[in-house]
Structure formats: C-alpha cells, structure tokens
C-alpha cells in the first residue's frame, strides 16, 4: 500500500471499490481516459473474502488501497490523513447477497442508505470538503415505492442535505458478464431493455433509447469520472443518457475546466 498522506492535486477516494462498477472506476482513473486525474485510493473491507485478490489487482493498477472497516470513525481518520478531493460512493447490495451473509431486516436501509450516511458523517470536520459523486439508480424518485428505490432516494436526500458539493448519477441497469454472483432476473431485464432500446433507435427515438438501454461498467465508469471532474454537474442529478459515451460533452477534453478544486470550508 502506498503512503496515505496529504499531497497536492486531486485525490479520488472510492467507496464500493469491490463492486463491478467500483473496479471499472479504479481502472478508468488509473489507466483509462481519466488516468491523469491524480491519486486514487480504493477502500476495501477487511472482512470481505475478495479483499486479498482485489488488493493485488489495484496494486498492479497503481492505485493505493485502504483496508479498513466501513465505519464512521475508521473512515474519518482516513479522510483526515488522505484529504480526498473527490469521494465516490458506489456501494450497494442485493437481497440475495444479504441473505447469504445472514443479514436481518431491510438490506437496502442498512447498506444502501446506512453506509451512505456513514460516509457522509465521516466527512464532518474536514478542512477542505470533498466533492461527492453518489451512484444512484434509474427509477429513483420521491414517489418510489419499492424498498430498493426508496432507500436510494433517501440516500440521495442525505447527500443533498450534507452540505457537501455533490453530483448524483442515476445509472440505468448495469449489464456485466463477469459478476461474481448470478443474477438471472437482471440478465432477463437487461436483454429486454436492450431489445427495446434497439427498436427505439430504429424508429428514430435515440434519446429515449439512451435513457433506457443497459450500460456496461466501463462506460458508466467514464461517465462517473466525467461527472465528478466537471463543474457543470455540481448540485445536479444526472439521468442515464447523461452518463453515456455518446454524449457530445464526453468527446471534449477528458478533464474540462473545473471549479471543484477551489478550497471549500
């Protein structure tokens, strides 16, 4: 693990780095279009069986790795030492995974919302506040009724009320072939949405297609990085079509002029 101290320049801290999107984001920030975006610190939990393999992977990519509990005190100490300028909050869970881990109660309230609140609380007392990029989900909103979307909206509200500079990214269905867990319902939904999006493009409804179509992790990672390093996305909730490669703004300079790095107190 590299020296986790304060240095000049952007410092990206990634929570949820073990997930499929988190791994893609680490790659994007280290060897992709946004490789010049400064230091990258990946957070891994000590109790996760995937931590040893992921640490090796992130080490090879040149990212720094912090292995620490996902708890307020542990993260607060890390944030004070590392002084991240950009905080990516990408964690999440599924009912299947929660059952496998013996979790009781509503997993979305405990993980999706609960850990978001932990991350935000850990930022309290920082001299320079980090810019938060929170990964939410398409379909989230104030009238959401499903437990998953309700927890996501409550998390968005927590981010908006935190006083931190933020961007919320409401990603469409993330379609990945190399997930460690089986998600047959998600696979079927992804296939159906892909076919529907293709039909919409044929009839000339490309904007609607961009809103509905599933997205690959690496494309989403580029969209998240772009959103985090662009001042035009501050205090906004981005929908699916704004996270895709075909957006004209994504063909501009990889890291456009930003006002984020001005000190915030």
């Amino acid at each position: 693990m590299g020296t986790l101290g304060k240095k000049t320049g952007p410092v990206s801290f990634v929570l949820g780095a073990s997930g499929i999107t988190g791994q893609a984001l680490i790659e994007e920030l280290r060897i992709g279009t946004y490789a010049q975006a400064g230091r990258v610190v990946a957070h891994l939990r000590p109790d996760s069986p995937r931590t040893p393999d992921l640490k090796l992977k992130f080490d090879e990519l040149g990212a720094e790795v912090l292995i620490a509990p996902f708890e307020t005190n542990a993260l607060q100490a890390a944030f004070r030492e590392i002084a991240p300028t950009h905080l990516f909050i990408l964690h999440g869970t599924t009912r299947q995974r929660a059952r496998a881990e013996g979790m009781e109660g509503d997993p979305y309230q405990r993980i999706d919302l609960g850990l978001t609140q932990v991350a935000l609380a850990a930022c309290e007392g920082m001299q320079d506040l980090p810019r938060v990029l929170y990964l939410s989900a398409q379909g989230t909103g104030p009238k959401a009724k499903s437990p998953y979307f309700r927890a996501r909206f409550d998390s968005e509200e927590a981010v908006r009320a935190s006083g931190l500079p933020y961007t919320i990214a409401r990603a469409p269905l993330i379609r990945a072939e190399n997930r460690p867990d089986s998600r047959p319902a998600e696979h079927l939904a992804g296939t159906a949405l892909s076919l529907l999006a293709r039909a919409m493009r044929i009839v000339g409804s490309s904007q609607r297609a961009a809103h509905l179509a599933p997205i690959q992790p690496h494309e989403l990672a580029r969209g998240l990085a772009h959103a985090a390093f662009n001042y035009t996305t501050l205090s906004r909730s981005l929908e699916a079509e704004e996270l895709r490669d075909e957006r004209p703004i994504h063909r501009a300079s990889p890291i456009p002029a930003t006002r984020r790095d001005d000190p915030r107190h």
Side-chain angles (χ1 to χ4, degrees), residues 73-240:
N73 290 341
L75 290 180
Q76 191 169 53
F79 290 172
R80 289 176 177 173
E81 180 182 0
I82 299 166
T85 59
H86 295 76
L87 175 61
F88 292 86
I89 303 180
L90 312 180
H91 64 268
T93 192
T94 63
R95 288 196 181 278
Q96 179 182 1
R97 185 188 307 165
R99 285 196 297 267
E101 296 177 355
M103 186 181 301
E104 297 180 357
D106 185 340
Y108 304 124
Q109 289 292 318
R110 292 189 59 181
I111 302 299
D112 296 59
L113 175 58
L115 294 187
T116 298
Q117 293 171 325
V118 166
L120 297 173
C123 296
E124 294 179 3
M126 292 183 65
Q127 183 177 1
D128 295 320
L129 301 179
R131 176 170 176 178
V132 172
L133 190 293
Y134 175 67
L135 178 59
S136 189
Q138 186 181 66
T140 298
K143 297 182 180 180
K145 295 182 179 180
S146 80
Y148 172 74
F149 290 122
R150 185 71 241 174
R152 284 293 177 179
F153 183 72
D154 289 344
S155 298
E156 290 185 5
E157 290 286 81
V159 169
R160 282 187 277 265
S162 68
L164 298 166
Y166 72 88
T167 300
I168 292 168
R170 291 177 173 172
L173 180 69
I174 303 168
R175 193 171 190 184
E177 302 300 329
N178 56 340
R179 286 190 183 276
D181 53 340
S182 175
R183 300 186 182 186
E186 184 176 288
H187 178 76
L188 289 173
T191 300
L193 286 171
S194 294
L195 292 173
L196 180 59
R198 186 181 306 171
M200 287 182 171
R201 289 191 180 97
I202 291 173
V203 300
S205 185
S206 57
Q207 183 174 357
R208 185 63 177 163
H211 184 75
L212 289 177
I215 194 168
Q216 292 291 325
H218 283 89
E219 182 179 13
L220 176 57
R222 285 189 292 274
L224 297 178
H226 175 83
F229 289 95
N230 193 313
Y231 75 88
T232 65
T233 60
L234 274 169
S235 304
R236 291 187 56 215
S237 296
L238 307 181
E239 298 296 339

Side-chain angles (χ1 to χ4, degrees), residues 1-4 39 41-42 55 59 63-68 81-82:
M1 180 171 64
T3 302
L4 297 177
R39 295 171 62 204
V41 182
K55 183 182 184 306
D59 284 344
E64 301 171 44
V65 177
L66 175 71
I67 301 176
E81 180 182 0
I82 299 166

